[in-house]
Amino acid sequence: MTHDAVVIGAGLAGLAAAVRLAQEGRSVLVLAKGVGSTHLAPPTIDVLGYSSDGDAVESPARGLAALARKDPEHPYSRTGAETLARALDWWATELPELGYSGGLDSNALLPTAVGAAKPTALVPATMAGGDLRSGGRIAIVGLRGLKDFYPGYVADNLARSVRAAGAAVTVRALDLDPPLDGVRDVGVLGFAARFERPDFREAIVRELRPLVAPGERVGLPAVLGVRETDRVHRELEDGLGKTVFEIATLPPSIPGMRLFEALKRALRRAGGKLVLGVRVVGAETNGRRVEAVVAQTAARRVPYRGRSFLVATGGFASGALELTSDWTVRDTALGLPVRGVPPGDARFLPGYFDRHPFGRVGVEVDERLRPLGANGAVYENVHAAGAIVAGAEPWREASGNGIALATGFAAAEAILEG
Amino acid sequence: VGRLDTEVLVIGGGSTGTGAVRDAAMRGFDTILVERSDLADGTTGRFHGLLHSGGRYVVKDPAAARECVPENAILRRIAADSIEDTGGLFVTTPHDDPDYGDLFVAGCLDTGVPVEEIPASEALRREPRLNPGISRAFLVPDASMDVWKTVWSCARSAEQHGARVLTYHRVLELARSDGRVVGALARNELTGEEVRIHADIVVNATGAWAGQVAALAGCRVEILPGKGIMIAMNHRLVNTVVNRCKLPDDGDILVPIRTVSVIGTTDERIADPDAAEATQDEIDQMLEEGEKLVPGFRAARALRVWTGVRPLFQETSAEDVDTRDVSRSHTLLDHERRDGVAGLLTITGGKTTTFRLMAEVTVDAVCEHLGVERPCRTHLEPLPDSEEGHHYWLGARLASREPIPQSEEIICECELVTRQQLDAAIVRRGTVSLDDIRRTVRLGMGPCQGGFCIYRATGVLHALRHLDTETANTALLDFLQERWKGVHPVLYGDQLRQARLDDWIFQGILDVAHVQR
């Protein structure tokens, strides 16, 4: 069959676009080689946390305006601030189970697992209690058996980070010794499963209640269950009589997995389909139109027909783009032209935190998010969104999910406009 | 300024220096070693890990080959636990002259390197990834060696015999009295404190830096620093050391060591041993040569590139010497005879495989100068915790964890470093440098290059040593910078993917760029 839209990639950009298209009555098929970016990082929508100079951005709205003037090649400059604002509203409305708050006026400052104060625009309910702008008293709680969180280190840095941001704060660290039945190396997935058990939650509350002080907020590593997080979060808050918040730590991201599940549900509700385990390796074309993308399965190559296609396969991290050992870059799915590859061996600079010439390599798009070649859009009916789009260094800018959402939403709009 | 007195002061904490301090201590001398950085941080820790059978030198440098033969056997006995008995192959690829094989065998017979020609088909059965076009194959007793472990074991052995090992102590001056060297002024690089060390005799074992140290006593020692680059690939492409059967050239050795394999090397004369960068051309050359040995080499992940600097020495200083042509044999300079400066010996040249021998001839000379006769015993006594016949083997760490997989936190999954091992290393080393810890327990040396374990190690270090935040942050950021130096020139393919994931972890999720330093 021929779908109205075939989306390649099940990260935030691909799934957001797929949900939006399906809600508008389009038949949508999402193909992906596996789960995507959602499982790696927390589901905060970081729109713009840092300027290109590395300064914290207080208001994303103002930061975006400055960016549009300074950097017309940036993905946000393609989608426009108005589309982004609509995308954020839509996102928060369509995913009520994550309980997003925030917006473009002012960035929240969320604690990271080293105790930095990271600016972000849209915050899910389980993390909102960690907003550092208000300062106050905070207890950072570690769990013995979890090697991916160090409360003492978080607390020490956090006190300095928050004071540097101008708020008064007291931060201290607490270590819990939860019942782990003799096991020492539990991991975030193991803790998430345990927090879904009432007896484990009760044991945590019992141990923690006498330790927390009046007026203190309680920060835990982000392991509060995948399926029943609402209940886990509420019971902890009620049991302790305190605001409880999650702090994102190393992958896999438990809150990110919740987002993936929520997006899957939203896609199913809207009538879209998701197929994992499908790697797209080429296309059947007719002039400047793609008729089908071709997937490599274990035994054969399978075409998936569509009227429109969205390439949301990610950048270098996902393997969508590849730098080969002879130093050429290729798009592994459709062979789209790639822009911004620096000449010679000037790919990276000597300082790890330098702004590397290779950092912004990707697929250049027009205002309808169609990949560009030497003579305009490569295909009339192919769009690109997410980390594959050239012109940004999202890990530096704290803009990854924001760009994914803005470009995914804008690509869906472009496809809807036809 | 503090003051220490000793009989023998050894400068340089590479394999030769730690070998010498062990040797001197075992012969009953009161002895001190000073090293400007961490042990094995210079040339020693930057080689490919190959314990030579001597095969590489049998045609071009028979003297070096003859030294390797007994030393290989001795190190297998005394440092068994840091050696993996991989065996070595010399193979004739379609790119190599098939007649060299005959020269090679003749050279082995002449120098005493044990050799056995085996059918090419047998070599391919042993190492299925090798170029299927190989025409001849020779077995030799090459092996791979975790040199950090060897050097630390030497240092520990020396300390057990009463020596003092002072890392992060840089020699600022050599003290002289009546034209004689009588010690050195050193600065603790971590605290800034200076210490005067009085010694009856000073051993300059600083390898490629020997010229700089000898100059402090007004002696001219012309070292020809020969830069070699090496690239670690993310897994063991071969399980036997593989050499091309030809005259030694660039990129013709592949060494399986621990969980990775290392290709090397090049040889380029440089001016300053502290300024040895790997260039794009050299990297391309390694990849190309690797492809000739193991087809598909380019598709494997390159983890890290580094350079080492050979301390090559020729008494005649010639401007246009090709460092490839300088003997790998060692040189002991008696500055009293050579320059009229008593109390100073310089040991340089040589190679890690022969470090024990270099230490022996050096301490023999020390005995002669001090007018005592005490025989060397370093070849008789195994290093601490090493037991003859019990070599390192690849599955050792896994075997010790497997029965009880969740009983302890695995901090570094790539190299199977446990929380207990990390804690012990932090306490034992007393260091706040994660790079020092890396070399001690191989933390962060695997495919993710510290992507996960370095956050964890920072948290552990902070808690265990009660560090202030700045020190902990500096440890983390310094590690990331040091790592970047080695990885960025070889980022391509899946290793670039890995690096991007690491960028997301450190810069995106943790936001380490914005902690207060």
Side-chain angles (χ1 to χ4, degrees):
Chain A
M1 73 174 278
T2 301
H3 287 90
D4 290 329
V6 176
V7 174
I8 313 159
L12 195 153
L15 288 175
V19 171
R20 175 96 185 93
L21 289 164
Q23 283 174 339
E24 295 296 321
R26 303 298 198 272
S27 62
V28 178
L29 174 65
V30 181
L31 304 172
K33 64 175 183 174
V35 296
S37 56
T38 47
H39 285 53
L40 297 178
T44 53
I45 304 298
D46 308 346
V47 168
L48 189 65
Y50 296 103
S51 72
S52 55
D53 308 324
D55 298 329
V57 170
E58 272 182 40
S59 155
R62 284 201 302 278
L64 286 171
L67 186 74
R69 286 192 302 274
K70 242 166 79 176
D71 191 355
E73 313 259 282
H74 196 280
Y76 283 136
S77 304
R78 293 275 185 272
T79 60
E82 186 269 338
T83 306
L84 174 62
R86 282 197 294 127
L88 291 176
D89 285 343
W90 172 80
W91 181 258
T93 312
E94 294 306 321
L95 298 166
E97 56 267 67
L98 276 101
Y100 278 103
S101 59
L104 287 174
D105 293 340
S106 166
N107 269 329
L109 291 177
L110 294 188
T112 77
V114 296
K118 187 181 169 188
T120 185
L122 225 52
V123 183
T126 61
M127 301 178 80
D131 191 349
L132 300 164
R133 285 174 296 181
S134 50
R137 306 181 64 174
I138 301 174
I140 304 294
V141 177
L143 304 167
R144 198 176 305 272
L146 181 62
K147 61 191 173 190
D148 290 340
F149 194 73
Y150 295 86
Y153 185 44
V154 176
D156 279 5
N157 258 327
L158 212 49
R160 296 154 52 91
S161 302
V162 177
R163 279 181 210 121
V169 71
T170 316
V171 193
R172 64 189 185 116
L174 296 171
D175 271 301
L176 291 192
D177 202 353
L180 299 175
D181 310 317
V183 175
R184 283 294 302 275
D185 197 352
V186 178
V188 289
L189 290 165
F191 270 106
R194 283 170 170 79
F195 266 100
E196 287 182 348
R197 291 188 347 223
D199 58 324
F200 186 81
R201 292 198 292 273
E202 283 159 21
I204 293 286
V205 168
R206 229 180 0 256
E207 194 183 342
L208 188 52
R209 194 167 38 208
L211 303 176
V212 290
E216 216 166 29
R217 293 187 265 163
V218 176
L220 282 158
V223 293
L224 302 187
V226 176
R227 287 185 302 276
E228 293 189 63
T229 302
D230 260 357
R231 174 187 295 182
V232 176
H233 189 216
R234 198 175 51 243
E235 282 190 17
L236 288 176
E237 291 204 320
D238 292 349
L240 296 169
K242 300 279 178 292
T243 297
V244 171
F245 60 92
E246 289 187 302
I247 299 172
T249 184
L250 300 182
S253 173
I254 300 297
M257 290 168 69
R258 289 174 210 143
L259 171 64
F260 180 72
E261 295 301 322
L263 284 167
K264 250 183 10 185
R265 285 193 295 272
L267 182 64
R268 201 180 307 132
R269 274 199 307 272
K273 277 181 292 188
L274 167 66
V275 186
L276 295 180
V278 179
R279 181 188 291 269
V280 170
V281 294
E284 291 174 5
T285 60
N286 180 4
R288 288 184 60 233
R289 288 188 71 79
V290 167
E291 309 260 290
V293 289
V294 178
Q296 184 71 54
T297 63
R300 64 210 166 98
R301 288 159 80 93
V302 185
Y304 291 89
R305 308 199 165 279
R307 280 174 271 277
S308 292
F309 297 87
L310 175 61
V311 180
T313 44
F316 289 94
S318 69
L321 298 178
E322 185 193 16
L323 173 63
T324 61
S325 70
D326 58 5
W327 316 111
T328 54
V329 178
R330 67 185 197 102
D331 164 40
T332 57
L334 297 187
L336 297 169
V338 174
R339 191 201 75 180
V341 182
D345 59 356
R347 296 179 296 279
F348 301 103
L349 301 175
Y352 177 57
F353 294 106
D354 288 347
R355 197 169 169 185
H356 303 291
F358 199 81
R360 313 175 127 220
V361 170
V363 168
E364 189 174 11
V365 294
D366 66 11
E367 71 287 350
R368 302 190 59 219
L369 283 299
R370 293 179 307 183
L372 286 171
N375 307 305
V378 184
Y379 300 112
E380 291 167 3
N381 63 335
V382 172
H383 304 260
I388 197 170
V389 176
E393 288 177 278
W395 53 92
R396 286 173 59 87
E397 302 164 359
S399 63
N401 282 349
I403 290 173
L405 178 55
T407 54
F409 190 84
E413 304 261 280
I415 291 170
L416 289 170
E417 284 160 19
Chain B
V1 179
R3 181 185 161 130
L4 294 169
D5 286 285
T6 191
E7 288 175 290
V8 184
L9 171 63
V10 178
I11 306 172
S15 55
T16 313
T18 47
V21 78
R22 172 177 189 247
D23 192 321
M26 285 175 74
R27 296 197 210 193
F29 290 110
D30 186 50
T31 174
I32 291 177
L33 179 140
V34 288
E35 156 61 42
R36 67 172 184 174
S37 172
D38 199 16
L39 292 187
D41 191 44
T43 303
T44 296
R46 295 166 199 267
F47 86 134
H48 37 49
L50 170 52
L51 179 70
H52 283 283
S53 60
R56 186 167 173 80
Y57 305 111
V58 292
V59 175
K60 191 163 182 183
D61 194 353
R66 280 192 193 92
E67 286 179 357
C68 288
V69 174
E71 288 306 310
N72 179 298
I74 291 169
L75 289 183
R76 282 167 185 264
R77 279 206 314 273
I78 67 163
D81 67 339
S82 57
I83 289 168
E84 181 181 350
D85 188 13
T86 60
L89 276 171
F90 278 75
V91 295
T92 308
T93 75
H95 307 274
D96 307 323
D97 174 9
D99 291 340
Y100 182 84
D102 297 330
L103 279 175
F104 175 74
V105 171
C108 286
L109 294 176
D110 180 43
T111 54
V113 173
V115 64
E116 181 197 348
E117 178 157 14
I118 59 171
S121 59
E122 173 60 23
L124 288 167
R125 224 180 342 265
R126 277 180 74 122
E127 291 299 344
R129 298 195 65 150
L130 278 184
N131 188 332
I134 60 170
S135 54
R136 301 183 75 176
F138 305 89
L139 274 178
V140 295
D142 284 343
S144 71
M145 179 175 182
D146 182 341
V147 75
W148 288 301
K149 195 173 171 74
T150 317
V151 164
W152 278 100
S153 295
C154 279
R156 208 138 49 89
S157 168
E159 286 172 336
Q160 287 170 2
H161 287 90
R164 283 167 284 182
V165 174
L166 307 177
T167 56
Y168 291 102
H169 276 69
R170 178 188 294 269
V171 168
L172 305 174
E173 292 167 16
L174 288 178
R176 297 170 69 181
S177 167
D178 297 334
R180 188 186 165 82
V181 174
V182 293
L185 174 70
R187 180 179 62 216
N188 182 329
E189 297 284 84
L190 302 179
T191 63
E193 284 166 49
E194 294 185 357
V195 58
R196 239 173 240 297
I197 304 170
H198 284 253
D200 298 337
I201 189 160
V202 174
V203 172
N204 171 18
T206 53
W209 291 265
Q212 296 176 14
V213 172
L216 298 175
C219 302
R220 189 177 155 85
V221 172
E222 189 114 8
I223 301 292
L224 314 175
K227 177 183 84 168
I229 88 159
M230 278 137 289
I231 302 177
M233 309 303 286
N234 83 319
H235 61 174
R236 291 174 49 129
L237 297 167
V238 290
N239 284 306
T240 310
V241 172
V242 179
N243 310 259
R244 295 262 291 279
C245 193
K246 59 173 189 167
L247 281 171
D249 203 341
D250 296 346
D252 54 2
I253 314 176
L254 187 57
V255 181
I257 178 156
R258 302 281 168 149
T259 59
V260 303
S261 41
V262 176
I263 190 163
T265 176
T266 55
D267 197 341
E268 190 204 344
R269 186 173 170 179
I270 57 170
D272 178 0
D274 284 314
E277 301 269 314
T279 68
Q280 177 84 59
D281 287 345
E282 290 168 331
I283 290 163
D284 287 339
Q285 187 191 10
M286 285 302 111
L287 300 180
E288 209 166 293
E289 296 302 317
E291 196 70 31
K292 292 176 188 167
L293 267 180
V294 173
F297 190 86
R298 280 175 172 278
R301 290 163 62 165
L303 295 184
R304 195 175 180 112
V305 58
W306 68 92
T307 61
V309 180
R310 296 177 192 80
L312 302 176
F313 176 78
Q314 268 191 336
E315 191 61 273
T316 52
S317 98
E319 281 308 310
D320 53 352
V321 175
D322 182 343
T323 46
R324 186 70 85 196
D325 294 330
V326 177
S327 173
R328 269 46 175 167
S329 238
H330 59 263
T331 307
L332 178 70
L333 301 176
D334 179 336
H335 292 287
E336 185 171 7
R337 271 173 221 150
R338 183 176 176 268
D339 308 299
V341 177
L344 179 66
L345 299 169
T346 290
I347 175 78
T348 187
K351 53 203 357 324
T352 296
T353 298
T354 59
F355 83 89
R356 193 212 59 85
L357 174 66
M358 294 164 69
E360 179 178 342
V361 300
T362 307
V363 182
D364 283 349
V366 166
C367 289
E368 195 190 315
H369 276 266
L370 299 181
V372 294
E373 211 172 305
R374 296 178 189 173
C376 172
R377 295 193 298 115
T378 54
H379 55 301
L380 302 174
E381 201 176 296
L383 292 168
D385 297 337
S386 179
E387 200 183 328
E388 186 176 344
H390 292 266
H391 287 298
Y392 168 82
W393 60 289
L394 183 58
R397 277 188 175 176
L398 182 58
S400 68
R401 313 280 178 272
E402 208 167 25
I404 37 169
Q406 283 195 311
S407 65
E408 217 193 327
E409 289 150 278
I410 305 277
I411 298 296
C412 167
E413 281 95 348
C414 300
E415 295 279 348
L416 290 176
V417 179
T418 64
R419 173 71 193 262
Q420 254 177 33
Q421 281 174 314
L422 176 63
D423 286 1
I426 289 172
V427 171
R428 189 170 76 241
R429 294 297 313 279
T431 180
V432 293
S433 156
L434 289 171
D435 218 40
D436 290 353
I437 302 294
R438 174 180 76 91
R439 289 187 290 270
T440 308
V441 287
R442 303 189 71 83
L443 186 79
M445 287 206 185
C448 83
Q449 290 285 298
F452 287 75
C453 66
I454 288 307
Y455 164 65
R456 296 169 184 157
T458 308
V460 171
L461 187 68
H462 173 267
L464 206 62
R465 296 284 311 279
H466 308 288
L467 296 186
D468 58 58
T469 337
E470 294 91 332
T471 311
N473 292 345
T474 300
L476 173 60
L477 296 172
D478 282 354
F479 183 93
L480 292 176
Q481 177 56 42
E482 188 57 31
R483 168 182 85 153
W484 179 248
K485 213 167 76 184
V487 302
H488 81 79
V490 284
L491 281 183
Y492 60 81
D494 279 341
Q495 200 58 25
L496 175 59
R497 273 187 83 179
Q498 180 75 58
R500 277 290 155 85
L501 174 64
D502 293 354
D503 289 341
W504 273 112
I505 290 173
F506 288 107
Q507 299 189 45
I509 298 169
L510 300 175
D511 199 8
V512 299
H514 296 93
V515 293
Q516 310 281 309
R517 195 167 184 172

PDB file of all heavy atoms in Angstrom, chain B residues 309-325:
ATOM      1  N   VAL B 309      58.311   8.660  21.593  1.00  0.00           N
ATOM      2  CA  VAL B 309      59.567   9.203  21.078  1.00  0.00           C
ATOM      3  C   VAL B 309      60.708   8.292  21.486  1.00  0.00           C
ATOM      4  O   VAL B 309      60.998   8.136  22.666  1.00  0.00           O
ATOM      5  CB  VAL B 309      59.804  10.630  21.617  1.00  0.00           C
ATOM      6  CG1 VAL B 309      61.103  11.169  21.059  1.00  0.00           C
ATOM      7  CG2 VAL B 309      58.643  11.534  21.246  1.00  0.00           C
ATOM      8  N   ARG B 310      61.323   7.650  20.508  1.00  0.00           N
ATOM      9  CA  ARG B 310      62.449   6.754  20.793  1.00  0.00           C
ATOM     10  C   ARG B 310      63.680   7.583  21.178  1.00  0.00           C
ATOM     11  O   ARG B 310      63.973   8.586  20.533  1.00  0.00           O
ATOM     12  CB  ARG B 310      62.820   5.947  19.558  1.00  0.00           C
ATOM     13  CG  ARG B 310      61.762   5.014  19.070  1.00  0.00           C
ATOM     14  CD  ARG B 310      62.248   4.334  17.802  1.00  0.00           C
ATOM     15  NE  ARG B 310      61.153   3.650  17.156  1.00  0.00           N
ATOM     16  CZ  ARG B 310      60.240   4.240  16.397  1.00  0.00           C
ATOM     17  NH1 ARG B 310      60.309   5.526  16.179  1.00  0.00           N
ATOM     18  NH2 ARG B 310      59.261   3.555  15.857  1.00  0.00           N
ATOM     19  N   PRO B 311      64.417   7.113  22.170  1.00  0.00           N
ATOM     20  CA  PRO B 311      65.630   7.837  22.575  1.00  0.00           C
ATOM     21  C   PRO B 311      66.829   7.324  21.783  1.00  0.00           C
ATOM     22  O   PRO B 311      67.681   6.642  22.326  1.00  0.00           O
ATOM     23  CB  PRO B 311      65.760   7.476  24.052  1.00  0.00           C
ATOM     24  CG  PRO B 311      65.140   6.105  24.153  1.00  0.00           C
ATOM     25  CD  PRO B 311      64.123   5.981  23.052  1.00  0.00           C
ATOM     26  N   LEU B 312      66.893   7.604  20.514  1.00  0.00           N
ATOM     27  CA  LEU B 312      67.990   7.053  19.714  1.00  0.00           C
ATOM     28  C   LEU B 312      69.247   7.883  19.922  1.00  0.00           C
ATOM     29  O   LEU B 312      69.198   9.101  20.045  1.00  0.00           O
ATOM     30  CB  LEU B 312      67.589   7.021  18.246  1.00  0.00           C
ATOM     31  CG  LEU B 312      66.325   6.189  17.998  1.00  0.00           C
ATOM     32  CD1 LEU B 312      65.926   6.285  16.546  1.00  0.00           C
ATOM     33  CD2 LEU B 312      66.516   4.747  18.417  1.00  0.00           C
ATOM     34  N   PHE B 313      70.362   7.176  19.956  1.00  0.00           N
ATOM     35  CA  PHE B 313      71.603   7.862  20.282  1.00  0.00           C
ATOM     36  C   PHE B 313      72.720   7.370  19.367  1.00  0.00           C
ATOM     37  O   PHE B 313      72.875   6.184  19.129  1.00  0.00           O
ATOM     38  CB  PHE B 313      72.000   7.580  21.737  1.00  0.00           C
ATOM     39  CG  PHE B 313      73.316   8.178  22.099  1.00  0.00           C
ATOM     40  CD1 PHE B 313      73.410   9.536  22.371  1.00  0.00           C
ATOM     41  CD2 PHE B 313      74.478   7.411  22.139  1.00  0.00           C
ATOM     42  CE1 PHE B 313      74.630  10.109  22.691  1.00  0.00           C
ATOM     43  CE2 PHE B 313      75.695   7.982  22.460  1.00  0.00           C
ATOM     44  CZ  PHE B 313      75.766   9.334  22.733  1.00  0.00           C
ATOM     45  N   GLN B 314      73.465   8.322  18.834  1.00  0.00           N
ATOM     46  CA  GLN B 314      74.704   7.994  18.133  1.00  0.00           C
ATOM     47  C   GLN B 314      75.774   8.951  18.634  1.00  0.00           C
ATOM     48  O   GLN B 314      75.544  10.153  18.684  1.00  0.00           O
ATOM     49  CB  GLN B 314      74.521   8.190  16.621  1.00  0.00           C
ATOM     50  CG  GLN B 314      74.089   6.931  15.920  1.00  0.00           C
ATOM     51  CD  GLN B 314      74.167   7.053  14.426  1.00  0.00           C
ATOM     52  OE1 GLN B 314      74.115   8.136  13.880  1.00  0.00           O
ATOM     53  NE2 GLN B 314      74.280   5.929  13.766  1.00  0.00           N
ATOM     54  N   GLU B 315      76.951   8.412  18.961  1.00  0.00           N
ATOM     55  CA  GLU B 315      77.976   9.280  19.535  1.00  0.00           C
ATOM     56  C   GLU B 315      78.414  10.348  18.530  1.00  0.00           C
ATOM     57  O   GLU B 315      78.667  11.483  18.887  1.00  0.00           O
ATOM     58  CB  GLU B 315      79.161   8.441  20.011  1.00  0.00           C
ATOM     59  CG  GLU B 315      80.170   9.194  20.864  1.00  0.00           C
ATOM     60  CD  GLU B 315      79.600   9.768  22.155  1.00  0.00           C
ATOM     61  OE1 GLU B 315      79.089  10.893  22.115  1.00  0.00           O
ATOM     62  OE2 GLU B 315      79.647   9.111  23.210  1.00  0.00           O
ATOM     63  N   THR B 316      78.473   9.975  17.236  1.00  0.00           N
ATOM     64  CA  THR B 316      78.787  10.992  16.231  1.00  0.00           C
ATOM     65  C   THR B 316      77.507  11.731  15.901  1.00  0.00           C
ATOM     66  O   THR B 316      76.518  11.113  15.536  1.00  0.00           O
ATOM     67  CB  THR B 316      79.306  10.341  14.942  1.00  0.00           C
ATOM     68  OG1 THR B 316      78.359   9.347  14.553  1.00  0.00           O
ATOM     69  CG2 THR B 316      80.663   9.719  15.156  1.00  0.00           C
ATOM     70  N   SER B 317      77.526  13.008  16.038  1.00  0.00           N
ATOM     71  CA  SER B 317      76.294  13.724  15.752  1.00  0.00           C
ATOM     72  C   SER B 317      76.277  14.117  14.291  1.00  0.00           C
ATOM     73  O   SER B 317      77.081  14.896  13.826  1.00  0.00           O
ATOM     74  CB  SER B 317      76.181  14.954  16.653  1.00  0.00           C
ATOM     75  OG  SER B 317      76.607  16.099  15.981  1.00  0.00           O
ATOM     76  N   ALA B 318      75.371  13.485  13.572  1.00  0.00           N
ATOM     77  CA  ALA B 318      75.254  13.757  12.148  1.00  0.00           C
ATOM     78  C   ALA B 318      73.923  14.432  11.891  1.00  0.00           C
ATOM     79  O   ALA B 318      72.926  14.102  12.505  1.00  0.00           O
ATOM     80  CB  ALA B 318      75.358  12.464  11.359  1.00  0.00           C
ATOM     81  N   GLU B 319      73.935  15.382  10.994  1.00  0.00           N
ATOM     82  CA  GLU B 319      72.726  16.159  10.734  1.00  0.00           C
ATOM     83  C   GLU B 319      71.663  15.354  10.001  1.00  0.00           C
ATOM     84  O   GLU B 319      70.493  15.480  10.230  1.00  0.00           O
ATOM     85  CB  GLU B 319      73.082  17.411   9.912  1.00  0.00           C
ATOM     86  CG  GLU B 319      73.681  18.529  10.728  1.00  0.00           C
ATOM     87  CD  GLU B 319      72.849  18.900  11.940  1.00  0.00           C
ATOM     88  OE1 GLU B 319      71.622  19.104  11.756  1.00  0.00           O
ATOM     89  OE2 GLU B 319      73.397  18.987  13.045  1.00  0.00           O
ATOM     90  N   ASP B 320      72.138  14.480   9.075  1.00  0.00           N
ATOM     91  CA  ASP B 320      71.173  13.869   8.169  1.00  0.00           C
ATOM     92  C   ASP B 320      70.962  12.383   8.454  1.00  0.00           C
ATOM     93  O   ASP B 320      70.742  11.591   7.563  1.00  0.00           O
ATOM     94  CB  ASP B 320      71.640  14.055   6.717  1.00  0.00           C
ATOM     95  CG  ASP B 320      73.058  13.564   6.514  1.00  0.00           C
ATOM     96  OD1 ASP B 320      73.693  13.238   7.537  1.00  0.00           O
ATOM     97  OD2 ASP B 320      73.510  13.496   5.361  1.00  0.00           O
ATOM     98  N   VAL B 321      71.033  11.998   9.715  1.00  0.00           N
ATOM     99  CA  VAL B 321      70.818  10.595  10.040  1.00  0.00           C
ATOM    100  C   VAL B 321      69.325  10.270   9.962  1.00  0.00           C
ATOM    101  O   VAL B 321      68.501  10.996  10.482  1.00  0.00           O
ATOM    102  CB  VAL B 321      71.330  10.299  11.471  1.00  0.00           C
ATOM    103  CG1 VAL B 321      71.007   8.876  11.870  1.00  0.00           C
ATOM    104  CG2 VAL B 321      72.821  10.540  11.534  1.00  0.00           C
ATOM    105  N   ASP B 322      69.002   9.158   9.296  1.00  0.00           N
ATOM    106  CA  ASP B 322      67.635   8.666   9.311  1.00  0.00           C
ATOM    107  C   ASP B 322      67.479   7.840  10.582  1.00  0.00           C
ATOM    108  O   ASP B 322      68.198   6.876  10.800  1.00  0.00           O
ATOM    109  CB  ASP B 322      67.384   7.801   8.066  1.00  0.00           C
ATOM    110  CG  ASP B 322      65.949   7.302   8.016  1.00  0.00           C
ATOM    111  OD1 ASP B 322      65.262   7.348   9.067  1.00  0.00           O
ATOM    112  OD2 ASP B 322      65.514   6.872   6.934  1.00  0.00           O
ATOM    113  N   THR B 323      66.545   8.219  11.434  1.00  0.00           N
ATOM    114  CA  THR B 323      66.456   7.547  12.735  1.00  0.00           C
ATOM    115  C   THR B 323      66.153   6.064  12.586  1.00  0.00           C
ATOM    116  O   THR B 323      66.470   5.279  13.466  1.00  0.00           O
ATOM    117  CB  THR B 323      65.393   8.220  13.621  1.00  0.00           C
ATOM    118  OG1 THR B 323      64.223   8.431  12.838  1.00  0.00           O
ATOM    119  CG2 THR B 323      65.900   9.525  14.151  1.00  0.00           C
ATOM    120  N   ARG B 324      65.525   5.654  11.479  1.00  0.00           N
ATOM    121  CA  ARG B 324      65.264   4.234  11.243  1.00  0.00           C
ATOM    122  C   ARG B 324      66.580   3.444  11.185  1.00  0.00           C
ATOM    123  O   ARG B 324      66.617   2.259  11.452  1.00  0.00           O
ATOM    124  CB  ARG B 324      64.464   4.130   9.943  1.00  0.00           C
ATOM    125  CG  ARG B 324      63.964   2.788   9.560  1.00  0.00           C
ATOM    126  CD  ARG B 324      62.850   2.206  10.393  1.00  0.00           C
ATOM    127  NE  ARG B 324      61.506   2.576  10.063  1.00  0.00           N
ATOM    128  CZ  ARG B 324      60.471   2.382  10.892  1.00  0.00           C
ATOM    129  NH1 ARG B 324      60.637   1.843  12.074  1.00  0.00           N
ATOM    130  NH2 ARG B 324      59.270   2.736  10.543  1.00  0.00           N
ATOM    131  N   ASP B 325      67.682   4.114  10.816  1.00  0.00           N
ATOM    132  CA  ASP B 325      68.957   3.424  10.641  1.00  0.00           C
ATOM    133  C   ASP B 325      69.820   3.398  11.894  1.00  0.00           C
ATOM    134  O   ASP B 325      70.904   2.834  11.895  1.00  0.00           O
ATOM    135  CB  ASP B 325      69.764   4.089   9.503  1.00  0.00           C
ATOM    136  CG  ASP B 325      69.071   3.896   8.173  1.00  0.00           C
ATOM    137  OD1 ASP B 325      68.380   2.858   8.029  1.00  0.00           O
ATOM    138  OD2 ASP B 325      69.198   4.763   7.300  1.00  0.00           O
TER     139      ASP B 325
END
